[in-house]
Amino acid sequence: MALETPDFQAFRGDERPKFANRAELECAKVLDYYGVPWDYEPRTFVLERDSRGRVTEAFTPDFYLPEQDLYLEVTVMKQSLATRKNRKLRKLRRLYPEVNAKLFYRRDLERLAERWRLDLAS
């Protein structure tokens, strides 16, 4: 099922975003509603390479907020399943200490959804 792609006003990317799930779409709607400039998956960070220099692990955060210089990763996984994303985020912080990144968990999104009556169903 393809997700809707509204005509975003605060989106700063070059290509229309193709969201992986409804939670990302709804997060984008909230950012846009409040006029927070954002981009979708603008950068991939290399986390590991093999002995030949080939990338074996990378991390592409979902959103970048240029005015805050902040990357956001949105996860609707159960807390127990978010361990992998947490590990990648720790690696990102260790390898790129100048990069600000935050993981938005299901509970964070549910609070937003409750407050603004959003539909987070994937």
Side-chain angles (χ1 to χ4, degrees):
M1 175 176 94
L3 297 176
E4 65 182 292
T5 306
D7 185 21
F8 293 111
Q9 303 303 305
F11 176 65
R12 296 297 180 256
D14 296 327
E15 296 180 27
R16 284 179 76 87
K18 293 180 180 140
F19 301 107
N21 56 54
R22 172 130 331 254
E24 290 178 1
L25 170 63
E26 296 298 344
C27 190
K29 286 180 178 179
V30 169
L31 293 170
D32 216 68
Y33 179 82
Y34 285 100
V36 177
W38 59 277
D39 196 356
Y40 182 71
E41 295 186 340
R43 182 174 174 192
T44 297
F45 297 92
V46 173
L47 300 179
E48 265 183 37
R49 294 181 185 271
D50 66 14
S51 60
R52 293 185 173 176
R54 293 178 297 205
V55 175
T56 58
E57 186 177 23
F59 184 55
T60 305
D62 299 316
F63 295 94
Y64 176 64
L65 312 182
E67 289 184 356
Q68 289 80 14
D69 191 22
L70 176 67
Y71 288 90
L72 289 180
E73 175 67 15
V74 176
T75 183
V76 291
M77 297 177 189
K78 291 180 182 175
Q79 188 65 42
S80 61
L81 300 176
T83 304
R84 186 168 167 242
K85 285 192 179 189
N86 276 307
R87 187 183 57 74
K88 282 189 170 191
L89 195 60
R90 281 193 304 275
K91 255 188 188 178
L92 175 79
R93 288 179 178 145
R94 188 178 76 244
L95 296 170
Y96 303 89
E98 73 284 1
V99 172
N100 298 315
K102 167 122 177 76
L103 189 59
F104 249 56
Y105 295 99
R106 172 183 288 276
R107 66 178 179 267
D108 299 320
L109 293 168
E110 285 171 348
R111 282 186 205 124
L112 284 176
E114 203 172 284
R115 188 170 184 175
W116 288 295
R117 296 181 178 87
L118 303 174
D119 176 18
L120 296 182
S122 292

